[in-house]
Amino acid sequence: MTALETIRPIAEFPVQGILPKEETEAATFLKKYPNYDGRNTIIAILDTGVDPGAAGLQVTSDGKPKIIDIVDCSGAGDVPTTTTIKPTESEDGDPVVTGLSGRKLRLNKAWKNPSGEYRLGVKRAYDLFPDELQERIKAERAQEFQKKHFSLVAQVQEELAAFIKAHTTLSEEEERTKADLSARLDILKDQFKSYADPGPIYDCVVFHDGNVWRAVVDAKENGDLRDAPTLTDYKTERQYATFSNQDKCNYNVNIYDDGNMLSIVVIAGSHGTHVAAITAANHPDEPAINGVAPGAQIVSIKIGDSRLGTIETHHALTRAVKVIIDDKCDLANMSYGEATSYNNIGRFVDLIREEAVGRHGCIFVSSAGNAGPALSTVGAPGGTTAGIVGVGAYQSQAMQQAEYALFESVPERPYTWSSRGPTLDGDVGVSVYAPGAAITSIPEYELSKFQRMNGTSMSSPNACGCISLILSGLKGEQKSYTPYRVHRALINASKDIQDQFHVGFLQVDKTFDHLLKYHAYEEQDVHYNIQIAERENARGIYLREWEECSKAHTLTVKVEPKFMKDIDYNKPDINDKKLAFECRMALVATESWIRVPDFLFMNGALRQFEIKVDPTQLTAGLVHVAEIQAFDSTCPARGRVFSIHVVVAKPMELNTKSYIKFSDIKFGPGHIERRLIRVPAGASYAEAIFRSSSSTNAAQMAAKFAIYASQLVPQLRYDHTRQGYLVRLGKGSYAEAGAEEQFETKRFTVHGGHTLELCMAQYWDSPGAHTVTVDLTFHGLQVNGSTNGSRAVFINGADQITRFNVTAPIRREEGLSPSISLDTLRKVIRPSESSIKPLGRDRDSLPNTRLMYNLISTYPFKVETSGKDTVSVMPRFPSLNNLLYDSPLEVLIIISDLNNKVVGYGDVYLKWIKLPKGEYNLRLQLRHESEELLEKFRHLPGIFDFHLSKAQTLEVSGYWPDALVGKKNAFPSILERGEVKPAFVLSTADHPKGAKPGDFLVGEWKWGLPKLDGTSLSRVVYSIPPEQIPIKEDTVELEEEVNVARQLAEQVRDAQVAWLKKSGTAYKTDKDKEAAIVARKELITQMDAAGHGKHLPYLLAQLDVALALADDAAEADKADRWKNVLATASKITTVIDEAALAQYFGLKQVPLHGKAEAEQKKTKKEKEEVKNALVAALRARCLAQVGLKQDSTEAFNHLSQWSEGTGVSDWKSVGVYLERERRNGRPGLALQRVNTWLSEQGGGTKDGAGNIKSALSIRRELLHELKWSVWEEYELSWDVIRLPKGPAPF
């Protein structure tokens, strides 16, 4: 064989970079201590769930089960199993039950079930499957469905062609037959256009075998459960199953509430499996690709809710803490997080800090976030919570080679996107850095073993695995530890990577040595709570705004030692520790602009001391970082006992009133530059131009830059006041030498008076040196008048004209063309019902066994639109929105139609949901341990925003007199700096459909400016005034002689008719119904005797009663009841002169005046009433004939002469039409009418919910008649979803 010749030798693949362990010293540690590989440690993975079938997640390095518990805390896999049934017996002796899907389920007679009772449930696969799996399965199923569907199409086309060929001339009946065949073809085409795969529908059976609850899932959808796995709680037997070979989706079960709730646990995505594999995967055949701690065991805790696109929810997080404690987890990793308005507070944060960590000793590790590199972008809980190890993401040379295939190496450093501190309350935010990427295991349904992912989601489990090694070693050496001791050692033993905030890179071996060397120092088992009194008890010092950076500060620092379990003051061992505690500390400030005392004597109580921070001489525009470090004066080599971080982000003034320029800023791979700018008061938006510049005339390869414009507003999430961009900059257009400089222009809103951080970073993997120049210009437009803050304008619609004053406080503003666009209808709705109940203790009690309560409030709302259009709806609860980790309450939302079909889920984050017309219910769930607190939220109003298909515009005029008379007078297009001009907004009487007085129209005040990123310059809220009252015109009233006796008799008659009308449906008990029958007979006899036999309202009341009784009759009585309907309808038609009525409506009425006009109106009203009575009688006749199975063709044609659109919108009339077509063998036309009617119902109404159920049932029957089994099965599956047995569980 010819020798292989290459330009350079082929090197061995850098496998060490696939899942980095060298950089953290984990590999070195394992070589020294091969048995301290995570053994005897249990790690909770709070994530999307872990696939038990994924590579490397079956056993530990010492042969133990890898995953010892799998729990879905989100509730997404919950299946109510409250329906109990006893089976019948099949011919061969197998028990048989009818599942909730309608399938016959054959059970295994060998199953042990002493009670003989089975519990039933049903679950849609797509409510379980991850999104990416859904997409694959839908595509594969669609291909199979198309084959069957187009086979049907071909069959119908052949039938139609054959019929046309055989019938050259057509009778009327044959025309209808042809129309039926054509309708079938049209139906198939229309249904395929609207095809939406319902997915597999799984029947579930739960039973008790005498020892444990067990569950069986009909994953094959064939009803044969005899060989299906009988699973119990995973923790008990550690068993799981796979739905099918097609989906490769594994599942396990847990059963709660004494068998009433089955939880089918399916992962919500691949993220959690990847995270678990980084932490602890064990590959015996290839140890090089092991996770960091292959000996550790795992508890999978799913907090990502599949119903909400894998986002975590309040109740999932609370339940997760209980699992951590119940399963005695040594560590927990959470690669999840969100921005937060408040640091270090909230239900979940408190439970983790005080219970999981502070009481039970679990070391909690969490990702810092991927929102960097701007300041204060760390997320909760990882970057904002005391006691949690927050981990940033770092990349190394080995990772660059193995994972990223870079053609040019770049410096090792934190990833550009890794979130940075400080927190809003001054803490550093990130504890340590760890490798932020890995190629490792993913779920089996991905049809691939391994995948690369990067993020702090990957650095956190790497760090968690490293800590597992350390704990494994400490346990092996029989050395006690606490989370506080380990956390401090991680920081003190970390590697210096020249981070701006002095955060180090995690080092396993050095940390372990540190813990062994200084194990005797019990002071390490204390956490110090730091509070800066003058800074609202912040944990650090963070100066950022102009005023606070322009003066020296004398601040009081409060330091309080926190011992493990010190929340229980009754335990004497804690008190003894407090009494014995003493530490003589030396204090050191790392920068000269901070002054601190030299020493601090600490005991078990709170101590305080003063410090001075003087930022006045620091360079403006830059970030200055320092620490106040405390050391044990008896052993300073142990490292910092605690640190107080000091960050001064000192803003600089503008070059002019509105402009500043930053010239020739130098960049290289991963380099970050920050400029802090004082935004002038009154500024509302800015324009930034970023130019690539160079002193040479050589082309550059364009580099990727991350640019952020960030401000911090108190008690507001950073992501609400930040704009981020990813751009490419390099000298020359597309790197052509000598071409014009490359630039990017960005416009974004700002908050005047708050410091702006302009953060620019050349992306870590973009090679080359680059130079950038920035021009930043601020603009301002302020609207003052009837306002609610500078960015919220309120207009009372009852005011014909509203005046505002507009000013440009920053600079001259040009090109102004103001208008107001209102694109949202806002309604405020109170709950129609609410209830508070205690939750079960299985999974919803707090760690200290306190009971949780559940408030569920129902908000009915209506979507109004025309035809088949949809409307985007956004429900809002402002006091609850955008608070997740920092909320004391737990929130979840379910929106459903009146048949309980779920149409949307929601949480604290706002989102639009598209809905067809109809009536809906929103159920809001609030959870808390205080029933008294929940009681205060019983009547919480909900705000519902409906997006308008066409925005309404309010005109803005520059001159009051012109506005008053409707004459257009444009607002000036130019405003000089400081100039004030009035603007007059004209109200409108033209309001969108569904708008009622007291509602609001919401939109934006537009200025004709280029598009701005961020919030609107001015949001407008317009209140809808009372409705216009029609002005009464002068008319001639007919003078009629008053007959008091006749008036009394008519009022008595009308009252009797009103009772008669409702008597058929008003009474519910058998006793009341019997009494009503007797009373009704007596009343009819009495009224007939009084001469009311031809009074149409009286006859119509009898007809209503007859119809109600026919609908409600037992099968044996139905014929007699329908005959009574026919007789009553005949009474009505007999007293109506149809010829005279037809003649009246056939003639055009000539407008009259005066007394004749009044007479004309009276006659018209009377004739309309007679016509309506005739239509009601004819419709009842049709229905009766259908009920009696008589030919209704003549009756239907008669009705059609008087009722336009008969059989289209009214369900009863549709029923007449359907019976006629089905009787004549035309199921295609019948099905077409059903489909048309259903399409017009949208989400349905309260009155029509039952009719929708009937229509869906008839549609299935017609599909069966047509022998379209593929579509019949499709409808059967969808009807399980459309018509659930009850409301969806939270």
Side-chain angles (χ1 to χ4, degrees):
M1 180 180 292
T2 306
L4 177 66
E5 294 185 6
T6 60
I7 296 175
R8 58 181 174 81
I10 301 298
E12 187 176 346
F13 191 89
V15 69
Q16 71 276 10
I18 287 178
L19 202 160
K21 295 183 278 287
E22 301 281 351
E23 298 87 336
T24 59
E25 299 182 334
T28 303
F29 180 84
L30 286 170
K31 287 177 184 176
K32 289 170 64 175
Y33 309 105
N35 290 329
Y36 297 165
D37 61 352
R39 297 177 198 188
N40 301 316
T41 66
I42 299 174
I43 304 173
I45 304 293
L46 284 70
D47 214 287
T48 59
V50 181
D51 181 6
L57 296 178
Q58 283 68 54
V59 295
T60 65
S61 56
D62 56 346
K64 294 178 182 177
K66 174 61 71 175
I67 304 176
I68 60 173
D69 200 2
I70 304 177
V71 183
D72 178 5
C73 291
S74 73
D78 283 3
V79 184
T81 49
T82 54
T83 301
T84 59
I85 192 171
K86 289 203 172 185
T88 58
E89 195 170 289
S90 67
E91 293 179 359
D92 52 5
D94 288 325
V96 175
V97 298
T98 301
L100 297 188
S101 73
R103 292 191 201 103
K104 294 290 184 183
L105 306 177
R106 176 170 286 195
L107 313 181
N108 191 324
K109 57 188 174 186
W111 294 345
K112 292 181 180 179
N113 182 0
S115 71
E117 282 190 344
Y118 293 89
R119 295 174 174 271
L120 304 179
V122 67
K123 193 70 172 178
R124 185 188 185 194
Y126 292 163
D127 289 341
L128 297 170
F129 287 0
D131 289 345
E132 55 268 34
L133 176 59
Q134 280 190 49
E135 290 177 10
R136 175 169 69 82
I137 296 300
K138 283 180 179 179
E140 293 173 3
R141 283 170 58 95
Q143 288 181 352
E144 291 301 313
F145 190 91
Q146 285 179 31
K147 293 176 185 177
K148 297 176 182 178
H149 167 79
F150 286 117
S151 174
L152 275 180
V153 171
Q155 178 184 325
V156 173
Q157 286 174 330
E158 288 172 4
E159 291 175 4
L160 179 59
F163 181 86
I164 293 172
K165 184 177 181 180
H167 299 80
T168 53
T169 58
L170 300 175
S171 65
E172 182 178 346
E173 190 64 24
E174 288 169 338
E175 285 282 3
R176 296 294 293 170
T177 303
K178 179 184 175 184
D180 180 71
L181 291 171
S182 297
R184 298 182 193 191
L185 195 58
D186 291 340
I187 290 167
L188 288 172
K189 291 178 180 178
D190 291 340
Q191 291 205 169
F192 188 72
K193 287 178 185 176
S194 59
Y195 169 80
D197 181 19
I201 303 293
Y202 301 139
D203 276 297
C204 306
V205 178
V206 171
F207 64 95
H208 198 280
D209 69 0
N211 294 310
V212 295
W213 286 101
R214 294 194 175 274
V216 184
V217 178
D218 184 16
K220 295 180 180 178
E221 295 186 278
N222 62 4
D224 189 351
L225 302 182
R226 290 173 295 179
D227 295 327
T230 56
L231 303 176
T232 187
D233 292 355
Y234 182 87
K235 189 176 180 180
T236 303
E237 295 180 350
R238 300 194 180 103
Q239 297 295 315
Y240 68 91
T242 307
F243 287 114
S244 73
N245 191 55
Q246 180 187 21
D247 54 63
K248 290 286 185 183
C249 184
N250 298 319
Y251 71 95
N252 64 279
V253 306
N254 294 300
I255 304 167
Y256 303 105
D257 193 20
D258 199 26
N260 286 317
M261 186 65 74
L262 166 66
S263 172
I264 302 177
V265 186
V266 177
I267 60 177
S270 57
H271 190 270
T273 302
H274 196 270
V275 164
I278 292 173
T279 308
N282 177 50
H283 299 275
D285 296 334
E286 193 176 2
I289 61 172
N290 278 351
V292 180
Q297 292 182 297
I298 284 172
V299 171
S300 169
I301 303 177
K302 179 184 172 185
I303 59 170
D305 197 319
S306 308
R307 300 169 293 184
L308 293 165
T310 78
I311 196 168
E312 68 273 47
T313 58
H314 289 116
H315 66 276
L317 295 170
T318 300
R319 288 171 175 171
V321 179
K322 186 175 188 301
V323 177
I324 290 170
I325 294 169
D326 289 349
D327 285 354
K328 297 180 172 55
C329 297
D330 300 287
L331 298 110
N333 181 84
M334 184 171 170
S335 292
Y336 259 71
E338 300 286 333
T340 181
S341 300
Y342 307 93
N343 295 149
N344 208 29
I345 64 168
R347 160 58 60 81
F348 176 70
V349 165
D350 291 344
L351 288 174
I352 288 295
R353 186 184 57 239
E354 305 301 332
E355 295 288 341
V357 176
R359 175 183 290 273
H360 295 278
C362 176
I363 298 174
F364 201 91
V365 187
S366 186
S367 53
N370 304 327
L375 297 175
S376 305
T377 49
V378 286
T384 63
T385 307
I388 287 181
V389 181
V391 187
Y394 192 87
Q395 52 82 20
S396 67
Q397 294 285 340
M399 294 165 67
Q400 293 172 29
Q401 289 181 316
E403 298 185 48
Y404 291 97
L406 300 184
F407 59 81
E408 182 178 324
S409 63
V410 294
E412 294 186 352
R413 60 189 351 152
Y415 283 94
T416 307
W417 38 255
S418 186
S419 291
R420 268 68 171 188
T423 63
L424 301 179
D425 65 343
D427 189 67
V428 67
V430 181
S431 302
V432 291
Y433 282 102
I439 297 173
T440 190
S441 307
I442 54 175
E444 289 193 310
Y445 72 74
E446 294 276 14
L447 307 184
S448 176
K449 281 189 176 183
F450 305 114
Q451 181 179 314
R452 188 199 79 188
M453 295 187 191
N454 59 7
T456 54
S457 286
M458 283 61 249
S459 62
S460 182
N462 193 302
C464 190
C466 289
I467 300 169
S468 174
L469 301 180
I470 294 167
L471 298 193
S472 183
L474 291 174
K475 288 184 176 186
E477 299 290 330
Q478 299 184 349
K479 300 293 184 183
S480 62
Y481 67 89
T482 61
Y484 305 146
R485 177 186 289 253
V486 174
H487 193 166
R488 196 187 305 173
L490 289 169
I491 293 171
N492 284 326
S494 64
K495 176 183 175 182
D496 182 8
I497 56 172
Q498 300 299 305
D499 178 70
Q500 183 177 22
F501 298 99
H502 312 144
V503 178
F505 186 75
L506 189 150
Q507 301 287 274
V508 175
D509 204 29
K510 290 183 178 63
T511 302
F512 185 66
D513 289 345
H514 185 282
L515 287 164
L516 292 181
K517 183 176 181 180
Y518 300 112
H519 188 266
Y521 291 85
E522 293 185 0
E523 178 277 333
Q524 296 175 100
D525 296 320
V526 172
H527 172 77
Y528 294 95
N529 284 332
I530 307 295
Q531 293 182 322
I532 313 300
E534 295 80 3
R535 306 289 295 177
E536 299 181 341
N537 289 327
R539 292 176 292 163
I541 301 163
Y542 188 14
L543 307 179
R544 181 169 173 132
E545 302 303 340
W546 175 263
E547 291 77 11
E548 59 190 10
C549 292
S550 301
K551 63 181 180 182
H553 300 261
T554 300
L555 303 170
T556 303
V557 178
K558 295 185 287 186
V559 183
E560 183 177 17
K562 177 182 177 181
F563 300 84
M564 289 293 296
K565 300 184 181 179
D566 72 345
I567 55 174
D568 186 350
Y569 290 98
N570 297 317
K571 288 195 173 182
D573 58 327
I574 298 297
N575 290 334
D576 289 343
K577 287 181 181 179
K578 288 183 176 181
L579 186 62
F581 179 75
E582 179 182 300
C583 186
R584 301 171 185 181
M585 299 181 183
L587 301 180
V588 177
T590 59
E591 297 292 341
S592 60
W593 41 274
I594 301 174
R595 295 186 61 192
V596 299
D598 292 331
F599 299 101
L600 175 67
F601 182 90
M602 280 297 302
N603 54 26
L606 182 146
R607 291 296 311 276
Q608 62 183 45
F609 58 92
E610 286 190 346
I611 63 171
K612 296 185 184 299
V613 178
D614 185 2
T616 57
Q617 301 305 307
L618 299 178
T619 303
L622 303 179
V623 179
H624 307 271
V625 180
E627 277 185 76
I628 298 169
Q629 300 173 337
F631 295 88
D632 181 354
S633 61
T634 64
C635 184
R638 284 201 293 122
R640 293 161 286 182
V641 173
F642 67 79
S643 293
I644 303 170
H645 295 270
V646 184
V647 177
V648 178
K650 187 173 181 178
M652 65 193 307
E653 291 273 30
L654 303 182
N655 299 130
T656 68
K657 179 75 176 176
S658 62
Y659 173 78
I660 192 169
K661 183 172 186 174
F662 304 107
S663 300
D664 299 331
I665 308 172
K666 307 297 183 184
F667 289 93
H671 182 70
I672 301 169
E673 286 286 340
R674 310 180 195 276
R675 296 294 183 269
L676 284 301
I677 304 115
R678 182 186 185 187
V679 178
S684 53
Y685 72 98
E687 179 182 79
I689 302 174
F690 303 89
R691 290 184 171 87
S692 175
S693 54
S694 175
S695 57
T696 65
N697 193 30
Q700 295 174 300
M701 180 171 289
K704 187 165 56 176
F705 279 81
I707 298 172
Y708 287 95
S710 177
Q711 293 180 281
L712 296 183
V713 176
Q715 301 187 39
L716 195 62
R717 296 159 54 115
Y718 70 77
D719 56 351
H720 287 188
T721 53
R722 182 191 71 157
Q723 294 302 314
Y725 306 98
L726 201 59
V727 302
R728 288 191 175 274
L729 293 172
K731 187 177 185 301
S733 176
Y734 300 99
E736 293 177 8
E740 294 182 1
E741 63 182 4
Q742 208 169 340
F743 68 92
E744 291 276 349
T745 301
K746 302 298 178 184
R747 300 177 182 87
F748 47 88
T749 56
V750 296
H751 293 260
H754 289 281
T755 296
L756 172 72
E757 177 198 3
L758 190 63
C759 177
M760 299 163 286
Q762 185 171 323
Y763 230 67
W764 71 273
D765 59 351
S766 285
H770 292 77
T771 304
V772 176
T773 293
V774 183
D775 295 278
L776 182 63
T777 306
F778 290 98
H779 298 259
L781 284 169
Q782 288 188 330
V783 181
N784 300 311
S786 300
T787 62
N788 179 24
S790 60
R791 294 198 175 183
V793 175
F794 179 79
I795 299 173
N796 183 352
D799 296 335
Q800 184 181 3
I801 299 173
T802 306
R803 172 176 175 146
F804 297 94
N805 292 326
V806 181
T807 183
I810 306 299
R811 54 170 287 141
R812 184 182 199 229
E813 301 295 348
E814 301 176 346
L816 304 180
S817 178
S819 66
I820 293 175
S821 176
L822 304 172
D823 60 3
T824 301
L825 171 63
R826 175 169 294 172
K827 291 178 175 286
V828 181
I829 300 174
R830 293 278 188 178
S832 60
E833 56 183 271
S834 64
S835 64
I836 299 176
K837 295 180 181 178
L839 289 161
R841 293 187 180 275
D842 285 22
R843 54 177 172 173
D844 286 314
S845 61
L846 294 174
N848 54 8
T849 72
R850 280 178 296 174
L851 195 63
M852 290 278 289
Y853 289 90
N854 184 39
L855 166 64
I856 297 179
S857 301
T858 301
Y859 296 79
F861 68 96
K862 186 176 182 180
V863 173
E864 298 186 61
T865 185
S866 56
K868 301 177 184 179
D869 294 340
T870 59
V871 174
S872 293
V873 183
M874 179 191 288
R876 301 169 63 244
F877 296 90
S879 61
L880 306 173
N881 291 138
N882 295 314
L883 296 173
L884 182 57
Y885 290 97
D886 39 358
S887 173
L889 288 165
E890 301 175 15
V891 182
L892 196 63
I893 289 169
I894 299 178
I895 303 174
S896 57
D897 66 17
L898 299 189
N899 281 318
N900 290 317
K901 176 194 171 187
V902 174
V903 295
Y905 290 94
D907 57 358
V908 296
Y909 296 114
L910 302 177
K911 69 175 182 180
W912 293 99
I913 299 173
K914 286 188 175 182
L915 297 174
K917 69 178 181 181
E919 296 177 16
Y920 300 89
N921 285 323
L922 179 148
R923 289 187 295 138
L924 169 69
Q925 180 196 52
L926 299 180
R927 296 165 30 127
H928 198 267
E929 69 267 28
S930 170
E931 188 176 6
E932 182 181 358
L933 175 63
L934 291 177
E935 193 68 41
K936 297 178 181 179
F937 288 86
R938 264 189 183 273
H939 304 287
L940 178 72
I943 296 175
F944 289 75
D945 286 351
F946 301 83
H947 185 73
L948 302 177
S949 58
K950 183 179 180 181
Q952 289 199 264
T953 301
L954 301 183
E955 291 190 16
V956 180
S957 177
Y959 190 55
W960 179 287
D962 288 347
L964 193 61
V965 297
K967 182 180 177 182
K968 290 191 176 182
N969 187 309
F971 184 84
S973 62
I974 297 174
L975 273 179
E976 298 294 341
R977 181 163 69 88
E979 186 178 16
V980 178
K981 291 285 187 182
F984 304 100
V985 179
L986 281 68
S987 296
T988 178
D990 182 21
H991 300 138
K993 184 178 181 180
K996 302 288 191 299
D999 294 343
F1000 303 92
L1001 295 176
V1002 181
E1004 180 181 359
W1005 191 313
K1006 297 182 177 180
W1007 296 97
L1009 300 170
K1011 183 180 180 299
L1012 299 174
D1013 300 317
T1015 57
S1016 303
L1017 292 183
S1018 295
R1019 293 294 292 170
V1020 178
V1021 178
Y1022 174 94
S1023 69
I1024 296 177
E1027 294 177 350
Q1028 294 181 0
I1029 300 174
I1031 298 174
K1032 187 175 182 181
E1033 299 178 359
D1034 293 335
T1035 57
V1036 176
E1037 298 289 344
L1038 290 175
E1039 295 182 5
E1040 295 184 6
E1041 182 179 348
V1042 176
N1043 185 320
V1044 175
R1046 188 176 66 191
Q1047 276 190 347
L1048 176 60
E1050 288 175 350
Q1051 288 180 9
V1052 170
R1053 178 201 65 196
D1054 292 346
Q1056 291 172 326
V1057 168
W1059 180 86
L1060 181 63
K1061 184 179 179 68
K1062 69 177 184 179
S1063 66
T1065 57
Y1067 303 101
K1068 305 302 179 186
T1069 66
D1070 291 340
K1071 182 180 178 181
D1072 289 342
K1073 288 179 180 179
E1074 289 296 329
I1077 291 171
V1078 174
R1080 192 160 51 238
K1081 286 181 178 178
E1082 292 177 357
L1083 179 60
I1084 291 172
T1085 301
Q1086 178 186 340
M1087 293 188 72
D1088 284 345
H1092 299 309
K1094 295 184 178 181
H1095 182 58
L1096 284 177
Y1098 166 57
L1099 295 175
L1100 286 170
Q1102 291 186 58
L1103 185 61
D1104 286 343
V1105 171
L1107 286 167
L1109 294 176
D1111 284 339
D1112 194 42
E1115 198 60 39
D1117 300 327
K1118 275 193 178 294
D1120 289 339
R1121 294 291 170 85
W1122 283 120
K1123 288 176 182 177
N1124 185 40
V1125 170
L1126 273 178
T1128 308
S1130 294
K1131 286 183 185 179
I1132 296 174
T1133 56
T1134 300
V1135 301
I1136 296 174
D1137 185 344
E1138 278 195 61
L1141 194 64
Q1143 183 180 14
Y1144 173 83
F1145 282 104
L1147 296 174
K1148 182 177 180 181
Q1149 301 297 312
V1150 179
L1152 303 175
H1153 302 283
K1155 188 173 181 179
E1157 180 186 10
E1159 289 281 4
Q1160 187 182 49
K1161 287 182 177 178
K1162 181 183 176 184
T1163 302
K1164 182 180 180 182
K1165 181 180 178 183
E1166 291 172 349
K1167 295 296 185 183
E1168 289 286 355
E1169 290 173 353
V1170 174
K1171 178 184 175 184
N1172 291 338
L1174 177 61
V1175 169
L1178 294 176
R1179 181 181 292 120
R1181 178 186 169 198
C1182 290
L1183 293 171
Q1185 289 182 337
V1186 169
L1188 293 167
K1189 296 185 170 32
Q1190 298 175 0
D1191 185 3
S1192 61
T1193 302
E1194 185 276 328
F1196 184 82
N1197 291 337
H1198 192 175
L1199 173 61
S1200 300
Q1201 292 173 350
W1202 287 100
S1203 178
E1204 293 182 9
T1206 299
V1208 175
S1209 59
D1210 177 73
W1211 174 244
K1212 290 184 177 179
S1213 298
V1214 170
V1216 172
Y1217 178 88
L1218 297 181
E1219 184 62 29
R1220 171 193 170 191
E1221 296 305 324
R1222 294 176 77 177
R1223 183 179 292 277
N1224 288 284
R1226 295 192 288 266
L1229 288 170
L1231 180 57
Q1232 191 174 53
R1233 182 61 56 88
V1234 171
N1235 287 346
T1236 300
W1237 185 84
L1238 281 170
S1239 70
E1240 292 175 348
Q1241 304 313 301
T1245 63
K1246 185 176 181 180
D1247 295 334
N1251 293 336
I1252 289 176
K1253 288 183 179 180
S1254 299
L1256 291 171
S1257 177
I1258 291 172
R1259 177 154 70 183
R1260 292 194 303 271
E1261 292 173 7
L1262 290 167
L1263 289 168
H1264 186 75
E1265 288 177 25
L1266 288 163
K1267 298 181 180 179
W1268 292 355
S1269 58
V1270 62
W1271 282 104
E1272 184 185 1
E1273 291 169 7
Y1274 173 88
E1275 285 298 320
L1276 283 168
S1277 294
W1278 264 115
D1279 284 352
V1280 174
I1281 301 164
R1282 295 183 187 117
L1283 304 171
K1285 300 300 180 182
F1290 282 96

